[in-house]
Amino acid sequence: IAVQVRIVASSLGIFKGMLMVKPGISKIQLPESMQKVGKSRVKESDYSFDGAYLEFLQIFPSSSSITVDRFLNPNETDPSANGKKQLGNRSLGAMIRNLLVSSGVEPEVLDDYERDCNKFV
């Protein structure tokens, strides 16, 4: 399980990235790679907000990725007709396809994936 977030806290800075559930970790960790802007340089006053704003942008796994998993995973039940309909036409896109091929995935495997994901639409 993971969520894509934006976090704004004047005492910490602005962060964006993914928060994931990991074994042995019970608190939110904000690594430097997530920090996009440093903490505020403005002196605190009686009007300062001492908390943080947390915005959830996406939650994973999404309903569409669960539906694809149910279709491709032989250990799962087949997705419902409504779930299949919601997927619509699925395509990896040129950038992701090129990345996967350059990482060693055979183009035929990607063709099979796209065909399988679209055959129930």
Side-chain angles (χ1 to χ4, degrees):
I1 297 176
V3 292
Q4 183 181 25
V5 296
R6 301 292 184 263
I7 300 170
V8 179
S10 60
S11 61
L12 298 172
I14 298 175
F15 296 80
K16 69 177 195 172
M18 300 293 293
L19 298 177
M20 292 170 258
V21 174
K22 292 186 177 181
I25 299 175
S26 60
K27 295 182 180 180
I28 292 177
Q29 297 180 352
L30 300 173
E32 286 184 32
S33 61
M34 285 181 63
Q35 187 172 27
K36 305 306 173 192
V37 178
K39 68 179 184 177
S40 175
R41 294 182 196 166
V42 177
K43 292 183 180 179
E44 292 186 28
S45 70
D46 292 338
Y47 302 104
S48 297
F49 177 67
D50 198 23
Y53 295 99
L54 175 62
E55 179 182 13
F56 293 95
L57 301 173
Q58 294 186 41
I59 299 174
F60 300 95
S62 65
S63 61
S64 63
S65 66
I66 291 171
T67 302
V68 170
D69 177 58
R70 289 178 66 190
F71 178 74
L72 295 175
N73 187 341
N75 299 321
E76 293 287 338
T77 58
D78 285 340
S80 66
N82 189 40
K84 293 176 183 178
K85 188 177 178 182
Q86 287 178 345
L87 281 180
N89 187 16
R90 308 298 275 178
S91 176
L92 291 172
M95 184 172 72
I96 295 192
R97 177 177 268 284
N98 291 338
L99 173 70
L100 292 170
V101 169
S102 67
S103 298
V105 177
E106 296 292 327
E108 295 79 21
V109 171
L110 299 176
D111 293 339
D112 290 346
Y113 171 80
E114 286 187 338
R115 184 188 67 246
D116 289 345
C117 284
N118 288 312
K119 77 179 181 184
F120 53 73
V121 177

